[in-house]
Amino acid sequence: MLPEPIKRLPGVHSALMTATWVQFRYFDWRHGVKTTGDLLVPEMDAVTQDTALAGFYHPSHPRSGRRILSLLPIEDHSRYTFIDLGSGKGLMLLLAAEHRFKAVRGVEFSRKLHAVATDNIASYTNPRQRCFDVESVNVDARDYEFPSTPLVIYLFNPFRHELLGQVLKNLDASVAANPRDVLVVYLNPLDAYLFERLEHIKETPLHPVEGSRVYRSTVPGTRVSVR
C-alpha cells in the first residue's frame, strides 16, 4: 500500500486506477468470466421492492479477495461453507473456490447480477479450483436460511444499515439455535456498530486487508489466531 503523500502526487491516482482496471480485466480474460463493470440499483431487476436498502454493485479486488481468503484463521476448509452476501457477478465465489470449502454460496437479490454469476460459475476455468459445489442464490438476504455447517461469511458493504441489521440478527439467531464456528469478514465496514448488538458474534483483532474487520462466533474452544 502506497503512503498517502505518494498517492497525492500528480498522476499517481490515475496510474493506480489504470492498474486496477488492468488487473480486473486480466482476471476475467484468464478465467473466461465477466466480473467487471458496476451496476446501479435501479438497473438491478431485484427480487424485492426494498431496493433503497441495497448498495450499487462494485466487485471486490481479486488481490484483496485472495489475501483475505489466505489469512482466514481456520484449519479445515472442508468443514466450512463460504457465503458472500451481496455476491454480485460472483467474483468472490470464484476466488473462494480456490480453497477446499465444503460449499460456496452467493446470495444476490438482483436477477441481472445473479444471471451473470451463474454464467461465470459455469464458464470458470482455473487449475487451482478446489471446490466445485459453487452456486449463486437469487434471494433477498433477509430470507436466506444459513446452512448448519460452520460458516465463513463475506460482506463488501452490500446493504444499508437497516437491511444489514436484520441479516445480522438472523445470523446471530442461527448461531444461538445451532452453536458453531462462524467467521464474518466485513470489508469497508461503514456499519460496524451493528455487530455490537449481537450476542453470539464478536469482533476479533484480525484485519487481513486495510479497511476490513473480522468477527467470530463465541463458540467455546474457538481460538482466534492472528497471522
Side-chain angles (χ1 to χ4, degrees):
M1 190 65 65
L2 289 176
E4 286 300 322
I6 300 297
K7 291 181 181 179
R8 290 194 290 268
L9 291 175
V12 171
H13 177 73
S14 177
L16 290 173
M17 293 297 291
T18 300
T20 297
W21 181 87
V22 169
Q23 290 171 3
F24 273 113
R25 293 293 180 179
Y26 176 72
F27 179 91
D28 283 2
W29 169 79
R30 182 178 183 184
H31 300 299
V33 295
K34 298 178 181 179
T35 64
T36 55
D38 296 351
L39 188 67
L40 299 176
V41 173
E43 304 169 340
M44 287 186 175
D45 187 20
V47 297
T48 175
Q49 298 300 315
D50 290 338
T51 55
L53 301 181
F56 75 96
Y57 168 71
H58 181 76
S60 300
H61 194 291
R63 184 174 57 195
S64 296
R66 283 197 169 110
R67 176 171 174 78
I68 288 170
L69 289 162
S70 69
L71 294 177
L72 291 175
I74 58 178
E75 296 179 356
D76 184 1
H77 286 69
S78 67
R79 297 177 54 241
Y80 290 76
T81 299
F82 178 90
I83 302 172
D84 183 1
L85 295 176
S87 49
K89 298 179 181 180
L91 174 63
M92 281 302 296
L93 308 184
L94 306 179
L95 295 177
E98 295 179 351
H99 300 264
R100 299 183 185 277
F101 285 106
K102 180 179 179 64
V104 172
R105 296 289 182 265
V107 178
E108 177 53 56
F109 87 143
S110 165
R111 295 184 180 92
K112 287 185 178 180
L113 293 174
H114 165 71
V116 175
T118 299
D119 289 344
N120 284 336
I121 292 167
S123 63
Y124 183 56
T125 56
N126 185 353
R128 296 170 58 183
Q129 185 171 357
R130 296 295 179 266
C131 177
F132 294 89
D133 185 359
V134 184
E135 182 182 357
S136 174
V137 182
N138 191 203
V139 66
D140 187 321
R142 292 169 295 188
D143 298 327
Y144 181 69
E145 184 174 345
F146 291 101
S148 60
T149 64
L151 305 174
V152 173
I153 296 175
Y154 179 75
L155 294 162
F156 185 16
N157 193 36
F159 319 124
R160 288 176 58 88
H161 63 93
E162 299 94 335
L163 196 156
L164 179 59
Q166 294 177 53
V167 173
L168 292 179
K169 183 178 179 180
N170 293 344
L171 178 61
D172 203 44
S174 176
V175 173
N178 176 24
R180 61 202 186 279
D181 192 21
V182 173
L183 276 162
V184 182
V185 181
Y186 188 12
L187 196 61
N188 192 20
L190 298 182
D191 297 311
Y193 71 92
L194 292 172
F195 282 85
E196 298 174 6
R197 304 175 181 177
L198 305 183
E199 183 177 354
H200 306 287
I201 301 171
K202 301 299 179 182
E203 187 172 3
T204 77
L206 303 178
H207 300 281
V209 298
E210 183 179 358
S212 68
R213 297 190 185 187
V214 177
Y215 302 84
R216 196 166 199 168
S217 58
T218 53
V219 176
T222 298
R223 292 183 298 107
V224 176
S225 60
V226 181
R227 301 193 199 181

